[in-house]
Amino acid sequence: MPLGSELSASAVAHPNIAFIKYWGDRDSALHLPANGSISMNLGDLATRTRVVFDSSMRSDELFLNGVLQSGAAVERVRRFLDIVRSLAGQFICARVESENNFPAGAGLASSASAYAALALAASHALGLRLSEIELSRLARRGSGSACRSVPGGFVEWQAGSNDLDCYAFCIAPPKHWALVDCIVLLDTAQKEVGSLQGHVLAATSPLQAARLADAPRRLELCRQAVLSRDFTSLAEIIELDSHLMHAVMMTSAPSLLYWQPATLQVMKSVIGWRRDGLPVCYTIDAGANVHVICEADNAAQVRKLLGALEGVVDVLCSSVGGAVRLVE
Ligand code: DP6
């Protein structure tokens, strides 16, 4: 490639919320998970990423929402681009410009949408035309949960046995079930232990083995609940799965305790509303914020109820989203 010439592409991807969680790796370098997981893409939240490979650049650059990044974030992107570069056999530095339409630091996992968008934009810019499976495997190398943001709708990530069969696929398209994730943003100042470090700690919990042994059963119950649009069964299984993951977090060494008093307040309120007949349930990732899941018909009411709770800063609602895609 002549000096000064450019190869570029842009892609948009949605983050996802896991119904059955990924927590712990069998192989942390390849992000081969200890268990399979199931998630739903969040269509109203998106990361848009433009990648420009420029033969005149001497090192990779990363801009997040217009701000030039340094340190660990750039290092992680550079390592990921190295994988794409070796796949394509082209060793050119890149400028990565990534923008989220959801608040940074809101405790929402943006690495899933970030690496799904980056996998598509970077591979396409370098002339690779990857299948959905190949793209999901590639995105997984950047962030485990990113492999689930490659296909659309309701997605299952099969743990597989190696790098080749460890990828995510769609189990039902976005239109299958009009679920809404009402993300309850709480007032939390502390910097939390990220999932990257958290996965390493999972194996130190004496509860992780039991959580893993029961994972096939939970995956099956969740899959069936999604396929048959059975909210009652979905509520039961996703709350159990979230509690199991947090039990592992709390009992790992060192212990990870993500919940705040307001987290528990939201959990208890949701349980109470459900007891009163409102179909609603919750799941919590590696943070204090609560993802409250309901059907679209009830979303306005759920949002209003959540907004009235003490300690709630904001509620972001999202319907089910599609697959990663090229833009422009
Ligand atoms: C708690 O995939 O974000 O959200 O691969 O280390 O970036 P890395 O971790 P990530 O972990 C997700 C953890 C989780 C559960 C889930 O989404 O399944």
Side-chain angles (χ1 to χ4, degrees), residues 16-23 25 31 37-39 76 109-112 115 140-146 148 157 194-199 245-246 249 284-287:
N16 63 74
I17 178 65
F19 291 164
I20 300 296
K21 309 288 189 189
Y22 150 50
W23 196 247
D25 286 310
H31 284 160
S37 51
I38 292 178
S39 60
R76 188 169 172 184
S110 59
S111 66
Y115 280 94
R140 193 197 76 225
R141 302 290 299 277
S143 162
S145 57
R148 295 191 311 238
W157 174 11
S195 37
L196 209 58
Q197 294 122 284
H199 289 296
M245 181 182 73
H246 283 274
M249 291 163 158
I284 304 165
D285 277 346

Side-chain angles (χ1 to χ4, degrees), residues 123-135:
S123 62
H124 200 270
L126 287 185
L128 294 167
R129 297 296 177 262
L130 302 180
S131 66
E132 186 179 274
I133 288 176
E134 290 167 330
L135 202 59

